[in-house]
Amino acid sequence: MYEEISISVEQASDAKVLIISVAARLAGMHPQTLRQYDRLGLVQPGRAGGGGRRYSERDVALLREVQRLSQEDGVNLAGVKRIIGLEQLVGDLQHRVAELEQELQAAYDRVARLEAMSPYSGRDLVRQETQSTALVVWRPRRSPDR
């Protein structure tokens, strides 16, 4: 009768479901402040069908951070925007580094499996014959006009 829905915690915190008055109350701000932050590009809420702003839990946390930076640390809104952008970039880069580390580990694991399957496992991959003491003499070819 009921359909089971499974969402992650991250998806839930990114769901744009809070109307501006609720988001403003949760962030401890006036709704007009949220509109101003939206115009400045500090927080990008989603939009409902009628054009109303919709905020996520993550947006509310970001609004609190904007308020903290501007009021407690004395950073102007342009500086806040720059800080937020750099923090997002750092997060993206950390995520990419983690992905690359996983890919590298997977490559190391594949190499180890291939080496274990090799008949030369534990030895040089190229067989070395016993050293020869043969002497090879090279003589240049004579041109036909000589």
Side-chain angles (χ1 to χ4, degrees):
M1 181 169 183
Y2 293 103
E3 183 179 341
E4 187 174 320
I5 298 174
S6 173
I7 61 171
S8 70
V9 173
E10 186 173 307
Q11 288 172 323
S13 68
D14 285 337
K16 306 272 188 180
V17 295
L18 303 171
I19 60 174
I20 192 167
S21 60
V22 173
R25 192 170 350 112
L26 290 172
M29 300 176 178
H30 191 277
Q32 192 60 35
T33 305
L34 274 64
R35 289 183 189 94
Q36 179 67 22
Y37 288 175
D38 182 14
R39 281 191 291 277
L40 294 172
L42 292 170
V43 178
Q44 287 89 27
R47 296 289 178 167
R53 292 171 174 87
R54 294 292 185 264
Y55 293 85
S56 68
E57 291 178 31
R58 190 179 304 251
D59 292 333
V60 171
L62 182 57
L63 288 165
R64 288 183 186 135
E65 179 67 5
V66 169
Q67 187 174 35
R68 186 191 68 74
L69 287 168
S70 65
Q71 292 181 0
E72 294 176 19
D73 295 342
V75 179
N76 66 25
L77 293 180
V80 169
K81 185 174 182 177
R82 181 76 173 141
I83 289 169
I84 290 169
L86 290 172
E87 286 176 344
Q88 289 173 345
L89 178 61
V90 167
D92 293 346
L93 291 172
Q94 287 172 333
H95 180 73
R96 183 64 180 140
V97 166
E99 287 176 347
L100 292 172
E101 286 174 339
Q102 288 176 349
E103 289 178 24
L104 181 61
Q105 186 58 51
Y108 282 143
D109 293 345
R110 282 192 303 274
V111 167
R113 282 193 309 275
L114 290 171
E115 285 179 345
M117 293 173 19
S118 170
Y120 302 108
S121 182
R123 298 183 289 169
D124 289 335
L125 292 179
V126 178
R127 289 188 192 200
Q128 294 181 346
E129 302 297 327
T130 57
Q131 286 189 340
S132 171
T133 57
L135 177 63
V136 177
V137 178
W138 178 79
R139 290 189 185 144
R141 291 187 183 180
R142 295 185 183 182
S143 61
D145 58 340
R146 283 194 170 182

